[in-house]
Coordinates of all heavy atoms in Angstrom, one line a residue:
Chain A
K160 N 28.7 43.4 18.1 CA 27.5 44.3 17.8 C 27.1 44.1 16.3 O 28.0 44.1 15.4 CB 27.8 45.8 18.1 CG 27.9 46.1 19.6 CD 26.6 46.4 20.2 CE 26.8 46.6 21.7 NZ 27.2 48.0 22.0
N161 N 25.8 44.2 16.0 CA 25.4 44.2 14.7 C 25.3 45.6 14.1 O 24.6 46.5 14.7 CB 23.9 43.7 14.6 CG 23.9 42.2 14.3 OD1 24.9 41.5 14.3 ND2 22.7 41.6 14.2
V162 N 26.1 45.8 13.1 CA 26.2 47.2 12.6 C 25.9 47.3 11.1 O 26.3 46.4 10.3 CB 27.7 47.7 12.8 CG1 27.9 49.1 12.2 CG2 28.1 47.7 14.3
L163 N 25.2 48.3 10.7 CA 25.0 48.6 9.3 C 25.7 49.9 8.9 O 25.4 50.9 9.5 CB 23.4 48.7 9.0 CG 23.1 48.9 7.5 CD1 23.5 47.7 6.6 CD2 21.6 49.3 7.4
I164 N 26.5 49.8 7.9 CA 27.2 51.0 7.3 C 26.5 51.2 6.0 O 26.7 50.5 5.1 CB 28.7 50.8 7.1 CG1 29.4 50.2 8.4 CG2 29.3 52.1 6.7 CD1 29.6 51.1 9.5
S165 N 25.8 52.4 5.9 CA 25.0 52.6 4.6 C 26.0 53.4 3.7 O 26.9 54.1 4.1 CB 23.8 53.4 4.9 OG 24.1 54.8 5.1
G166 N 25.8 53.2 2.4 CA 26.6 53.9 1.4 C 28.1 53.8 1.7 O 28.8 54.8 1.8
V167 N 28.5 52.5 1.8 CA 29.9 52.3 2.3 C 31.0 52.8 1.3 O 32.1 53.0 1.7 CB 30.1 50.8 2.5 CG1 30.2 50.0 1.2 CG2 31.3 50.5 3.4
G168 N 30.6 53.2 0.1 CA 31.5 53.8 -0.8 C 31.9 55.2 -0.4 O 32.9 55.7 -0.9
G169 N 31.3 55.8 0.5 CA 31.6 57.2 1.0 C 32.9 57.3 1.7 O 33.4 56.3 2.2
G170 N 33.5 58.5 1.7 CA 34.8 58.7 2.2 C 34.9 58.4 3.7 O 35.9 57.9 4.2
V171 N 33.8 58.8 4.4 CA 33.8 58.5 5.9 C 33.3 57.1 6.1 O 33.9 56.4 7.0 CB 32.9 59.5 6.6 CG1 32.8 59.2 8.1 CG2 33.4 61.0 6.3
A172 N 32.3 56.7 5.3 CA 31.8 55.4 5.5 C 32.8 54.2 5.5 O 32.8 53.3 6.2 CB 30.7 55.1 4.5
Q173 N 33.8 54.4 4.6 CA 34.8 53.3 4.5 C 35.6 53.2 5.8 O 36.0 52.1 6.2 CB 35.8 53.6 3.3 CG 36.6 54.9 3.4 CD 38.0 54.6 2.9 OE1 38.7 53.8 3.4 NE2 38.4 55.5 1.9
F174 N 35.9 54.4 6.4 CA 36.6 54.3 7.8 C 35.7 53.7 8.8 O 36.1 52.9 9.6 CB 37.1 55.7 8.1 CG 38.2 56.1 7.4 CD1 38.1 57.1 6.4 CD2 39.5 55.6 7.5 CE1 39.2 57.5 5.6 CE2 40.6 55.9 6.8 CZ 40.5 57.0 5.8
A175 N 34.4 54.1 8.8 CA 33.5 53.5 9.7 C 33.5 52.0 9.6 O 33.5 51.2 10.6 CB 32.1 54.0 9.6
F176 N 33.5 51.5 8.3 CA 33.5 50.1 8.0 C 34.8 49.5 8.6 O 34.7 48.5 9.3 CB 33.4 49.9 6.5 CG 33.7 48.5 6.1 CD1 32.7 47.5 6.3 CD2 34.8 48.1 5.5 CE1 32.9 46.2 5.9 CE2 35.1 46.8 5.1 CZ 34.1 45.9 5.3
L177 N 35.9 50.1 8.2 CA 37.2 49.5 8.7 C 37.3 49.4 10.2 O 37.8 48.5 10.8 CB 38.4 50.3 8.1 CG 38.5 50.3 6.5 CD1 39.6 51.2 6.1 CD2 38.9 48.8 6.1
F178 N 36.9 50.5 10.9 CA 37.0 50.6 12.3 C 36.1 49.5 13.0 O 36.4 48.9 13.9 CB 36.6 52.0 12.8 CG 37.5 53.1 12.4 CD1 37.3 54.4 12.7 CD2 38.7 52.8 11.8 CE1 38.1 55.4 12.3 CE2 39.6 53.9 11.4 CZ 39.3 55.2 11.7
A179 N 34.9 49.4 12.5 CA 33.9 48.5 13.1 C 34.4 47.0 12.8 O 34.3 46.2 13.7 CB 32.5 48.7 12.5
I180 N 35.0 46.8 11.7 CA 35.5 45.4 11.4 C 36.7 45.1 12.4 O 36.8 44.1 12.9 CB 36.0 45.4 9.9 CG1 34.8 45.3 8.9 CG2 37.0 44.2 9.7 CD1 34.2 43.9 8.8
A181 N 37.5 46.2 12.6 CA 38.7 46.0 13.4 C 38.3 45.5 14.9 O 39.0 44.7 15.4 CB 39.5 47.3 13.5
V182 N 37.3 46.1 15.4 CA 36.9 45.7 16.8 C 35.9 44.5 16.8 O 35.4 44.1 17.8 CB 36.2 46.9 17.5 CG1 37.2 48.0 17.7 CG2 34.9 47.4 16.9
K183 N 35.8 43.8 15.7 CA 35.1 42.5 15.5 C 33.5 42.7 15.7 O 32.9 41.8 16.2 CB 35.6 41.5 16.5 CG 37.0 41.2 16.2 CD 37.5 40.0 17.1 CE 39.0 39.7 16.8 NZ 39.7 39.0 17.9
A184 N 33.1 43.9 15.3 CA 31.6 44.0 15.2 C 31.2 43.1 14.0 O 32.0 42.8 13.1 CB 31.2 45.4 15.0
K185 N 29.9 42.7 14.0 CA 29.3 42.1 12.8 C 28.8 43.2 11.8 O 27.8 43.8 12.1 CB 28.2 41.2 13.2 CG 28.6 40.0 14.0 CD 27.4 39.2 14.5 CE 27.8 38.2 15.6 NZ 26.6 38.0 16.5
V186 N 29.6 43.4 10.8 CA 29.3 44.5 9.9 C 28.6 44.2 8.6 O 29.1 43.3 7.9 CB 30.6 45.3 9.7 CG1 30.4 46.6 8.9 CG2 31.4 45.6 10.9
F187 N 27.5 44.9 8.4 CA 26.8 44.8 7.1 C 26.9 46.1 6.4 O 27.0 47.1 7.1 CB 25.3 44.5 7.5 CG 25.1 43.2 8.2 CD1 25.4 43.1 9.6 CD2 24.6 42.0 7.6 CE1 25.3 41.9 10.3 CE2 24.4 40.8 8.3 CZ 24.8 40.8 9.6
V188 N 26.8 46.1 5.1 CA 27.0 47.3 4.3 C 25.9 47.4 3.3 O 25.3 46.4 2.9 CB 28.4 47.4 3.6 CG1 29.5 47.3 4.7 CG2 28.5 46.3 2.6
T189 N 25.7 48.7 2.9 CA 24.9 48.9 1.6 C 25.6 49.7 0.7 O 26.6 50.5 1.1 CB 23.5 49.7 1.9 OG1 23.8 51.1 2.1 CG2 22.8 49.1 3.1
S190 N 25.3 49.6 -0.6 CA 26.0 50.4 -1.7 C 25.1 50.2 -2.9 O 24.3 49.3 -3.0 CB 27.4 49.8 -2.0 OG 27.9 50.5 -3.1
G191 N 25.2 51.1 -3.8 CA 24.5 51.0 -5.0 C 25.3 50.2 -6.1 O 24.9 50.1 -7.2
D192 N 26.5 49.7 -5.7 CA 27.5 49.2 -6.6 C 28.0 47.8 -6.1 O 28.6 47.8 -5.0 CB 28.6 50.2 -6.7 CG 29.8 49.8 -7.5 OD1 29.9 48.6 -7.8 OD2 30.5 50.7 -7.9
Q193 N 27.7 46.8 -6.8 CA 28.1 45.4 -6.4 C 29.6 45.3 -6.1 O 30.0 44.6 -5.2 CB 27.6 44.4 -7.4 CG 27.7 43.0 -6.9 CD 26.9 42.7 -5.6 OE1 25.8 43.2 -5.4 NE2 27.5 42.0 -4.6
E194 N 30.4 46.0 -6.9 CA 31.9 45.9 -6.7 C 32.3 46.3 -5.4 O 33.1 45.7 -4.8 CB 32.6 46.7 -7.8 CG 33.2 45.9 -8.9 CD 34.0 46.8 -9.8 OE1 35.1 47.2 -9.5 OE2 33.5 47.1 -10.9
K195 N 31.7 47.4 -4.9 CA 32.1 48.0 -3.6 C 31.6 47.0 -2.5 O 32.3 46.7 -1.5 CB 31.4 49.3 -3.4 CG 32.0 50.4 -4.3 CD 31.3 51.7 -4.1 CE 31.8 52.7 -5.1 NZ 31.2 54.1 -5.1
I196 N 30.4 46.4 -2.7 CA 29.9 45.4 -1.8 C 30.9 44.2 -1.7 O 31.3 43.8 -0.7 CB 28.5 44.9 -2.1 CG1 27.5 46.1 -1.9 CG2 28.1 43.7 -1.4 CD1 26.1 45.8 -2.4
D197 N 31.3 43.8 -2.9 CA 32.3 42.6 -3.0 C 33.6 42.9 -2.2 O 34.1 42.1 -1.6 CB 32.6 42.2 -4.5 CG 31.3 41.6 -5.1 OD1 30.4 41.2 -4.3 OD2 31.3 41.6 -6.3
T198 N 34.1 44.1 -2.4 CA 35.3 44.5 -1.7 C 35.1 44.4 -0.2 O 36.0 43.9 0.5 CB 35.7 46.0 -2.1 OG1 35.8 46.1 -3.5 CG2 37.0 46.5 -1.4
C199 N 34.0 44.9 0.3 CA 33.7 44.8 1.7 C 33.6 43.3 2.2 O 34.0 43.1 3.3 CB 32.4 45.6 2.0 SG 32.7 47.4 1.9
L200 N 33.0 42.5 1.4 CA 32.8 41.1 1.7 C 34.2 40.5 1.9 O 34.5 39.8 2.8 CB 32.0 40.3 0.7 CG 30.5 40.7 0.7 CD1 29.8 40.1 -0.5 CD2 29.8 40.3 2.0

Side-chain angles (χ1 to χ4, degrees):
Chain A
K160 291 276 179 78
N161 268 4
V162 176
L163 180 67
I164 312 283
S165 80
V167 73
V171 178
Q173 63 140 302
F174 286 107
F176 171 74
L177 295 171
F178 294 173
I180 287 279
V182 298
K183 298 185 180 157
K185 293 175 195 150
V186 186
F187 299 75
V188 301
T189 78
S190 173
D192 179 340
Q193 189 59 43
E194 251 185 78
K195 294 180 187 177
I196 290 172
D197 291 341
T198 303
C199 290
L200 292 172

